[in-house]
Each structure stands twice: as structure tokens, then as C-alpha cells.
């Protein structure tokens, strides 16, 4: 369905407010900037800001919804004969090898992560987002395998698979903050992924294999 004029205008307004806020946060730090200052810089009312972003943290971490569903999307999209963990490993390798900004391999990410590290509120929000992603993945694994409600296996497997994703993102973030170049960090994390795969048991690597058809 084509995007209507009203919807497009709302999307553009939301993106503009987010961009203005992000610029202020990167320049001055998250805690030092108020929502009123964001509204003033974006030439909108404070109420308008809150209409689009219920909390101040949403202004800076406005793409968290995609992160929450990322692992589940990768697992649901696994190939025939591919397990849940191997699908996530493949997707992570593709993102890292291509030096994708979706996993933080881009210029400016060090500044972004520094703002996060300096803000307890942002660190808390990122932790909560990671927990949502973990629970979402567990639900997906239950659906994909038909596991019973009292079966703890999907929760245990979700924890192992989520560890892959979380460790890779944390490693990229820290290496970028430490002054690494995206292409250099990409090569380092590709080696890290190989090491991480070796640590996983065969049971994890062969869980939820997609059958033919």
C-alpha cells in the first residue's frame, strides 16, 4: 500500500525531530540536553516531541524496535537445513564482513557509544531492549519448534543465541570507542565470531534445524 501524504509528513516530522535531538546529544551529551531544548531547536512544541517520542531516551534510541525483532527475523528466515544458531552466525558474519552500519561499523559510532556509556538512562534502556529481544527470540523458538510451555529448552537456546549477538555488538562498540577503524574492527570481529562458534555445543548449533518444504 502506498504511503499517504499524511503518513509521509508524520514520518518526516518524526525523523527530523530525531535527527535534531541526536545532533544535540552527540554535541553536548544526553543528560545535558532537555526535551524543551530539542523542541526549540526543531521548531516544534514540547507536546509534539512527546507525541512522537514518549520518553527522552526514544529520541536517541529511535531504532530499537528493529533491534528487538532482529534475531527473531533471522531465525524465522533460516534456510533449509540450517539451525537457528547457524542462521544467526551467518547473518552476523554477513553484516560484519560487509562493514554494515547496522551493527555499528561506521564513522561516528564511537561518539554515539560514548554518549550511551556516559548516560545511566541510555544504558538502562539498551539493557531493557536487549531483554526484550531475548524474550522475543524465546517466543519465536517456541513457535518454530512447537515446544511445550513447560519446556525450558527454547529459553536456554535463546540465551545462547542472544549471547552471540550481544557479544558481537559489545565488541564492535568498544573497539570503535577505542579508536578502531570500521574495516579494521570488521576483520577483528570476524575472527571473534569463529572463536565464539567453537565455544557453542553441538546441541546449540543443531537446534531448530529447518526441514525441507
Amino acid at each position: 500500500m502506498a504511503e499517504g501524504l499524511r503518513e509521509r509528513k508524520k514520518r518526516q516530522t518524526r525523523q527530523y525531530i530525531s535527527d535534531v535531538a541526536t545532533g544535540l546529544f552527540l554535541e553536548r551529551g544526553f543528560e545535558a540536553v532537555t526535551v524543551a531544548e530539542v523542541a526549540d531547536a526543531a521548531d516544534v512544541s514540547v507536546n509534539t516531541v512527546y507525541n512522537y517520542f514518549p520518553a527522552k531516551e526514544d529520541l536517541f534510541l529511535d531504532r530499537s524496535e528493529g533491534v528487538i525483532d532482529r534475531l527473531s527475523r533471522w531465525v524465522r528466515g533460516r534456510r533449509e537445513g540450517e539451525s537457528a544458531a547457524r542462521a544467526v552466525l551467518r547473518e552476523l558474519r554477513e553484516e560484519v564482513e560487509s562493514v554494515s552500519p547496522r551493527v555499528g561499523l561506521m564513522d561516528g559510532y564511537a561518539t554515539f557509544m560514548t554518549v550511551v556509556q556516559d548516560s545511566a538512562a541510555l544504558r538502562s534502556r539498551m539493557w531493557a531492549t536487549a531483554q526484550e529481544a531475548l524474550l522475543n527470540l524465546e517466543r519465536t523458538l517456541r513457535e518454530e519448534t512447537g515446544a511445550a510451555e513447560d519446556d525450558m529448552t527454547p529459553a536456554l537456546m535463546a540465551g545462547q543465541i542472544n549471547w552471540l549477538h550481544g557479544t558481537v555488538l559489545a565488541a564492535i562498540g568498544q573497539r570503535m570507542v577505542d579508536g578502531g577503524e570500521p574495516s579494521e574492527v570488521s576483520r577483528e570481529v570476524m575472527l571473534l565470531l569463529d572463536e565464539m562458534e567453537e565455544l557453542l555445543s553441538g546441541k546449540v548449533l543443531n537446534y531448530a534445524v529447518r526441514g525441507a518444504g
Side-chain angles (χ1 to χ4, degrees):
M1 182 181 295
E3 183 181 41
L5 179 62
R6 179 180 175 81
E7 288 72 24
R8 182 167 69 252
K9 182 175 175 58
K10 288 176 66 175
R11 175 177 57 79
Q12 291 172 341
T13 299
R14 186 183 194 282
Q15 186 61 57
Y16 176 67
I17 294 171
S18 174
D19 290 346
V20 169
T22 298
L24 291 173
F25 295 144
L26 293 177
E27 179 183 352
R28 295 164 49 195
F30 183 75
E31 310 295 349
V33 179
T34 67
V35 173
E37 288 173 319
V38 171
D40 185 60
D43 197 25
V44 297
S45 69
V46 170
N47 284 342
T48 297
V49 174
Y50 280 119
N51 283 340
Y52 287 99
F53 301 95
K56 183 182 172 184
E57 292 82 359
D58 297 321
L59 284 161
F60 194 64
L61 303 173
D62 64 326
R63 294 174 177 82
S64 61
E65 187 173 328
V67 175
I68 289 170
D69 193 45
R70 179 186 286 168
L71 290 174
S72 289
R73 283 189 283 108
W74 287 351
V75 168
R76 287 193 295 266
R78 68 197 185 284
R79 298 165 179 172
E80 182 180 326
E82 190 174 52
S83 70
R86 291 193 188 280
V88 169
L89 281 165
R90 172 177 54 77
E91 294 279 6
L92 281 171
R93 284 193 172 100
E94 289 176 1
E95 294 283 356
V96 173
E97 189 172 24
S98 65
V99 195
S100 171
R102 287 187 294 269
V103 290
L105 292 168
M106 61 181 179
D107 293 331
Y109 193 65
T111 306
F112 174 90
M113 284 306 302
T114 299
V115 173
V116 172
Q117 291 176 357
D118 289 344
S119 169
L122 290 177
R123 294 198 307 273
S124 177
R125 170 59 69 87
M126 290 191 77
W127 179 87
T129 297
Q131 291 302 111
E132 285 189 65
L134 175 61
L135 292 174
N136 196 34
L137 177 59
E138 179 188 340
R139 286 192 294 269
T140 297
L141 290 174
R142 288 190 182 281
E143 293 168 2
E144 293 289 309
T145 62
E149 288 187 13
D150 60 351
D151 185 351
M152 288 297 297
T153 305
L156 296 173
M157 293 297 178
Q160 294 290 300
I161 295 169
N162 186 63
W163 166 73
L164 290 169
H165 184 252
T167 301
V168 165
L169 292 189
I172 289 173
Q174 191 56 56
R175 283 164 169 76
M176 294 296 288
V177 168
D178 290 342
E181 293 294 325
S183 58
E184 173 192 10
V185 175
S186 169
R187 290 190 293 272
E188 293 175 358
V189 176
M190 286 296 288
L191 295 175
L192 176 64
L193 274 163
D194 291 341
E195 295 178 16
M196 294 171 70
E197 181 173 3
E198 291 177 2
L199 292 174
L200 294 175
S201 71
K203 187 171 184 179
V204 175
L205 289 171
N206 294 295
Y207 179 73
V209 173
R210 168 148 288 160

